[in-house]
Amino acid sequence: MARRTTFLEEHGVPELLAPAGGPEPFNAALAAGADAIYCGLGNDFNARRGAKNFDDESFSAACRRAHLAGARVYVTVNVAVSTEELPRVLELVRRAWVLGADAFIIQDWGLMAEVRRRWPEVETHVSTQANVHDARGVAWCRDVWGVDRVTLSRELSLAEISRIAEEGVELECFGHGALCFCYSGVCLMSSMNGGRSANRGLCAQPCRLPYDLVDEKGEVLEIPGVATQGIPETSRGVGGTRLLCPKDYRTIDHVREMRDAGVGSLKVEGRMKAPDYVFSVVAAYRGALDALCDGHDEDAARAARDRRLRRAFNRDFTESYLWGGSDNDMMSYERSNNRGELVGRVVGSRALEDAVVRRGGGNGGRERMRRLTRADVEVLLSEPVGAGDLLEIRPVSDPSQFLTAHAEADAAAGETITCRTSRPMEDGSLVRVIRSQAALDEAARVAEKDVVRRRPVRVRVVARLGQPFAVELETLDGAAAARAEGFVVEAARTRAVSEEDLVEHVGRMGQSAFAPSEWDVALDAGCGMSFSAVHKVRAEACRRLEEALLAPYADRELSAGEPDHTYLSAFSPNDPQNTQVCALVTTPACAEAALAAGATRVYASADDLARGMWPDGVIPWLDEVCREADHARLDPWVRAGEPVAVGNVSELALAAERGAAPEVRSCIPVHNTSALAALAEAGAAGVWLSPELTLEEVCALARASRVPVGLSVLGRERVMTSEHCVLQALGRCRHDCARCPERARRLSLRDIDGNLLPVRTDANGRSRIWAARPLDATPQVGELVSAGVSRLLVDAQLMDVAETRAAVTRVMRALEAASAGCRPAPRAKGATSGHLFSPIG
């Protein structure tokens, strides 16, 4: 199949990709100038299941509006999918394609394999949830899967993007909106603490909640709010408790650099956002990209775009990742809600006479009296406000005592306005616009319209005596053209028609999807005609142009059918004698302890293996993150003929190329038999199953697999991996991770319920957070082994030598009990069975 011309190649600027959580924000995105819109069909299989999303009827109508306007529509099926769900997901893909989808954004490798195998004509994009962040991983997506686009991790720098673009694959990159603290696709915090899985579209956003950083004794470490002498400003602690809350990403001032780096599509986050947010952000980026196209930009236009963005929901802005940074500058430690734009300060406040309000008393009820306090608060503006803008007034001395009010009228910077509030506010209180009434009005104007953006067309009118009157329309981008003919042109009986008359009457396209932009009128002198007849020809030309534009989507068909499972192995029960007890450790001493306790397979990270003298046969356990800079320390551990646990598709690609025996870690989620088979065909010699699976799902996959299957049964699950170091909040970072004294400490995050989540930062500055409660699945060892799970893992990364020995011994005894047909020991006190008996949402 011929390679599709990319938007960047065709237009010279990146595609502007906008979010839509339903029909209203879809219209807002389209009206604001989006080149493409991504959305969910239904509420089961996309990463924003809490959004309104679309049903078939509204989706079909939205696709029609977009295609007539010259925009594309991408459907998100960017979640992990179970074997049982695959037929339904594939039916959703088939239905969405028939209804008008242009492409599908996919996370699950099993679903990707099924779509590519069945329907090679369907355009597929790799989701950012698939955790691809280097050139090798992108090349693997191209060569193994034949995908059309890869959405890169948000953490990448411009330099990394530029290198990846050399692979010739269209790249979608994050441009604006909320940042996740964790690398996308490997976050388990929401599912391990409440069952709402980010990999299933139900993230509870635990990264926005308050946490304390506590030491080994459980004492809270101070998060300073003042600069520390000698520490770079970007590394100083700034106070606050939102230790996992990044600011919002913003790249609007660097669209030129992103284009030059090879970004093919610039993505705006926000499928859970309101229509006014979508309109404001998309309109701002449309202006920036148009200015880049035109080759000039005015200061006033840039200022207006900046104001638009600041008056849409934001947690303040960062562009740290763009330049390879991840310091405190990117974090919003003090608050996780909307900051809006700072527009002034309180300069006076006057309490009004209390008002008495009567409540109740109807239907014989008792009437109650309520006294309301009111105040007039005077605000000196540093920026203009508009009538109806929602203002937040927040005292400096106690920011928690904020309140909101509305601006009563338009006012310019330098003016003092009076706001009616529920109580007086102290002088100096900060005033922000947190919602723009103008943006609300803009989005409301297009919320339910059928035509929200009219496509510019060239118009040619032909009026020759004795010949049919004709109107020809062609879109400016050359996508389609149409011609309609009508009455035969006759000589005028009274006033002859002028060229201006024809431009006026043919140009009345207000009810259509088109707007005349260029004209060519071929008119004989002395022609006469009825303008109502002219309108009919123009209307027919518009109808035919619509038909031509929608023709590629008409009568679409895709074959149906169930997923093909013929490649799966015939199940034979596993012999407990063949089951391997495995241990993931961090020191040679722990490795020795694990082996002495009976472990037959020991793993350690590449960084740990590079330090100390290790026993023979320890298997490298490679990172879930593999960026270009990681190759030098990770790649040497991938060796021909030797086992290696890979945490990223880039490492899987390298292992297949070198003839190693890669075991796919659980951070490349396998939830269905198609993913098992597809990864095995891509070179996987073993699979570690996801901790988000139930016991029934684990057993079903183990029975189906033709490669060894493993599962973590004891220890703590890693729930987050972040490029930002949590320890930087202490304000002591000197950017020398290898010698950082804080890294040697056993620190934890304490959540609002008092749970302790261990946090460690590696020598590369990446933080990992572990679950609050340890896992103990040893009571289910018998069932797991009988189903074919042949590797049982003790995750001892947080254990010392004695704890490692005891943990391996516990699994060995559970395995011995299973071999003898005996009941294993009960679950350890305080431990959890994970999701073995509690399915994720």
Side-chain angles (χ1 to χ4, degrees):
M1 185 179 296
R3 176 178 169 274
R4 179 178 62 84
T5 302
T6 68
F7 191 96
L8 181 60
E9 291 169 336
E10 188 172 345
H11 299 275
V13 293
E15 169 191 85
L16 177 54
L17 177 58
E24 292 81 9
F26 189 102
N27 274 9
L30 196 58
D35 298 308
I37 301 170
Y38 63 102
C39 57
L41 178 58
N43 289 82
D44 293 332
F45 303 116
N46 70 84
R48 293 295 182 271
R49 288 164 62 189
K52 183 177 179 180
N53 294 313
F54 288 82
D55 58 22
D56 285 16
E57 182 179 359
S58 60
F59 179 73
S60 177
C63 287
R64 182 181 185 278
R65 286 196 297 275
H67 295 150
L68 289 177
R72 307 179 84 221
V73 180
Y74 306 146
V75 174
T76 53
V77 276
N78 52 343
V79 293
V81 179
S82 71
T83 301
E84 182 183 60
E85 291 170 331
L86 263 177
R88 285 196 291 138
V89 182
L90 289 167
E91 170 55 23
L92 182 147
V93 171
R94 188 199 65 79
R95 200 168 74 246
W97 180 260
V98 170
L99 292 172
D102 291 282
F104 295 87
I105 303 171
I106 298 173
Q107 171 192 6
D108 190 291
W109 294 114
L111 177 59
M112 181 68 79
E114 292 289 347
V115 172
R116 296 305 304 153
R117 179 178 61 81
R118 294 158 172 270
W119 307 309
E121 69 271 33
V122 169
E123 185 176 326
T124 50
H125 300 174
V126 176
S127 170
T128 190
Q129 288 286 115
N131 202 27
V132 179
H133 30 53
D134 69 348
R136 191 166 60 210
V138 168
W140 183 80
C141 293
R142 175 196 65 208
D143 299 337
V144 174
W145 304 94
V147 302
D148 298 274
R149 176 186 292 185
V150 175
T151 309
L152 296 177
S153 290
R154 301 175 181 188
E155 290 81 358
L156 299 190
S157 68
L158 275 173
E160 290 172 294
I161 294 169
S162 181
R163 163 63 190 94
I164 295 169
E166 295 173 8
E167 297 299 322
V169 179
E170 186 174 34
L171 302 179
E172 179 181 310
C173 294
F174 194 58
H176 191 94
L179 285 170
C180 293
F181 183 77
C182 180
Y183 273 89
S184 293
V186 299
C187 183
L188 301 175
M189 185 178 280
S190 182
S191 71
M192 292 300 170
N193 186 24
R196 293 179 55 183
S197 171
N199 284 316
R200 295 284 292 172
L202 290 174
C203 180
Q205 295 193 313
C207 51
R208 305 301 180 190
L209 298 176
Y211 295 89
D212 291 322
L213 189 60
V214 301
D215 64 13
E216 299 86 344
K217 299 177 182 179
E219 296 179 357
V220 177
L221 299 176
E222 181 182 357
I223 307 299
V226 296
T228 303
Q229 186 175 4
I231 302 297
E233 183 176 355
T234 56
S235 299
R236 295 172 187 160
V238 293
T241 60
R242 310 290 171 156
L243 300 185
L244 308 181
C245 180
K247 296 175 183 176
D248 288 357
Y249 207 41
R250 167 178 158 148
T251 65
I252 195 165
D253 299 319
H254 306 289
V255 292
R256 177 184 299 277
E257 292 96 321
M258 297 191 80
R259 178 200 64 186
D260 294 346
V263 173
S265 180
L266 191 66
K267 177 183 179 180
V268 173
E269 178 274 339
R271 282 201 293 128
M272 297 292 288
K273 295 292 203 307
D276 59 295
Y277 172 92
V278 174
F279 192 99
S280 292
V281 175
V282 173
Y285 277 83
R286 179 76 277 151
L289 290 169
D290 287 348
L292 178 60
C293 244
D294 295 342
H296 65 274
D297 201 0
E298 303 294 334
D299 290 344
R302 286 195 295 271
R305 295 196 294 267
D306 179 73
R307 179 164 293 137
R308 264 193 181 277
L309 294 180
R310 292 190 179 278
R311 295 189 179 195
F313 184 101
N314 73 86
R315 300 177 180 90
D316 203 357
F317 296 113
T318 180
E319 53 186 50
S320 289
Y321 284 150
L322 208 59
W323 314 113
S326 58
D327 291 334
N328 281 337
D329 176 65
M330 66 172 283
M331 301 301 294
S332 181
Y333 289 132
E334 65 273 28
R335 59 188 292 188
S336 61
N337 58 353
N338 183 16
R339 295 190 186 198
E341 181 187 24
L342 182 65
V343 295
R345 295 175 184 267
V346 172
V347 294
S349 193
R350 179 172 63 91
L352 303 177
E353 183 178 346
D354 290 351
V356 177
V357 180
R358 297 179 184 274
R359 292 286 177 88
N363 297 322
R366 184 179 177 181
E367 185 177 71
R368 293 176 297 171
M369 310 294 290
R370 184 181 177 194
R371 187 173 297 277
L372 294 180
T373 300
R374 298 178 301 164
D376 279 344
V377 174
E378 294 185 343
V379 177
L380 176 61
L381 296 175
S382 56
E383 300 290 341
V385 298
D389 285 353
L390 181 62
L391 308 177
E392 176 197 85
I393 306 173
R394 190 175 288 261
V396 176
S397 63
D398 186 359
S400 66
Q401 298 302 308
F402 71 93
L403 50 74
T404 59
H406 287 91
E408 295 183 358
D410 294 348
E415 292 185 29
T416 299
I417 63 172
T418 301
C419 300
R420 181 65 50 85
T421 63
S422 60
R423 65 178 186 272
M425 299 298 288
E426 66 183 41
D427 285 4
S429 296
L430 302 180
V431 181
R432 299 173 180 272
V433 170
I434 59 173
R435 198 154 196 183
S436 162
Q437 186 61 45
L440 285 168
D441 293 342
E442 287 173 321
R445 278 194 291 270
V446 300
E448 297 182 358
K449 286 188 176 181
D450 187 49
V451 177
V452 298
R453 188 169 98 201
R454 299 172 68 198
R455 194 166 186 169
V457 293
R458 297 184 185 89
V459 184
R460 175 172 168 77
V461 181
V462 181
R464 302 292 189 191
L465 289 169
Q467 296 180 16
F469 177 80
V471 174
E472 299 172 0
L473 303 178
E474 181 184 15
T475 60
L476 291 189
D477 58 9
R483 176 186 171 94
E485 295 182 352
F487 58 91
V488 174
V489 179
E490 299 178 349
R493 297 175 184 174
T494 53
R495 187 178 75 86
V497 172
S498 68
E499 181 174 329
E500 290 75 17
D501 291 332
L502 292 180
V503 168
E504 178 189 351
H505 286 274
V506 175
R508 292 180 182 177
M509 299 183 184
Q511 300 303 311
S512 75
F514 310 112
S517 178
E518 299 177 6
W519 286 90
D520 178 14
V521 179
L523 172 64
D524 285 346
C527 291
M529 60 194 73
S530 161
F531 289 131
S532 62
V534 169
H535 296 165
K536 288 181 181 180
V537 178
R538 180 252 298 144
E540 178 62 15
C542 289
R543 188 194 68 78
R544 292 186 180 185
L545 184 57
E546 285 191 6
E547 190 176 74
L549 288 168
L550 298 175
Y553 305 94
D555 302 321
R556 273 179 159 188
E557 290 185 4
L558 289 175
S559 59
E562 297 296 310
D564 181 5
H565 300 305
T566 57
Y567 42 69
L568 300 177
S569 64
F571 170 68
S572 58
N574 184 39
D575 183 350
Q577 301 298 322
N578 297 327
T579 303
Q580 295 179 296
V581 175
C582 310
L584 173 59
V585 300
T586 58
T587 67
C590 286
E592 296 284 6
L595 291 168
T600 56
R601 208 172 180 89
V602 176
Y603 300 84
S605 75
D607 290 338
D608 290 332
L609 286 173
R611 297 186 297 269
M613 298 295 292
W614 288 80
D616 293 339
V618 176
I619 300 168
W621 186 269
L622 301 188
D623 296 2
E624 56 272 18
V625 177
C626 182
R627 293 165 64 170
E628 299 293 333
D630 296 308
H631 290 184
R633 65 184 184 85
L634 297 179
D635 291 2
W637 299 101
V638 181
R639 297 161 178 163
E642 295 185 12
V644 58
V646 299
N648 185 274
V649 296
S650 171
E651 297 154 354
L652 176 59
L654 179 64
E657 177 187 328
R658 291 185 176 178
E663 302 168 20
V664 171
R665 285 182 52 199
S666 63
C667 44
I668 304 176
V670 173
H671 285 240
N672 57 72
T673 53
S674 293
L676 269 177
L679 291 171
E681 289 170 6
V687 171
W688 290 94
L689 293 179
S690 168
E692 293 191 321
L693 297 172
T694 64
L695 179 61
E696 182 180 357
E697 290 170 327
V698 168
C699 291
L701 288 169
R703 292 188 184 99
S705 181
R706 69 186 188 194
V707 297
V709 166
L711 185 73
S712 181
V713 295
L714 199 63
R716 291 186 191 253
E717 297 288 353
R718 177 208 56 80
V719 295
M720 274 192 174
T721 298
S722 172
E723 193 65 25
H724 173 77
C725 171
V726 175
L727 308 182
Q728 289 187 82
L730 296 171
R732 305 168 191 164
C733 181
R734 298 180 185 277
H735 299 282
D736 189 356
C737 297
R739 297 178 179 83
C740 174
E742 309 301 335
R743 286 184 54 241
R745 305 180 66 181
R746 299 175 69 86
L747 305 181
S748 298
L749 293 171
R750 187 172 65 193
D751 68 16
I752 55 177
D753 296 319
N755 299 309
L756 295 178
L757 293 82
V759 58
R760 304 288 185 269
T761 294
D762 64 20
N764 311 293
R766 292 184 184 126
S767 283
R768 288 173 176 80
I769 301 171
W770 274 265
R773 294 176 63 193
L775 169 74
D776 181 6
T778 56
Q780 282 67 54
V781 161
E783 294 165 88
L784 294 169
V785 170
S786 295
V789 176
S790 57
R791 292 171 182 164
L792 305 174
L793 180 68
V794 173
D795 189 333
Q797 293 177 90
L798 300 179
M799 299 180 188
D800 60 22
V801 171
E803 291 167 333
T804 301
R805 183 183 300 111
V808 172
T809 300
R810 182 176 181 83
V811 178
M812 290 295 298
R813 288 175 178 169
L815 188 58
E816 290 165 2
S819 298
C822 301
R823 179 178 297 180
R827 202 173 324 282
K829 185 178 180 180
T832 175
S833 59
H835 286 291
L836 291 181
F837 303 104
S838 56
I840 56 176

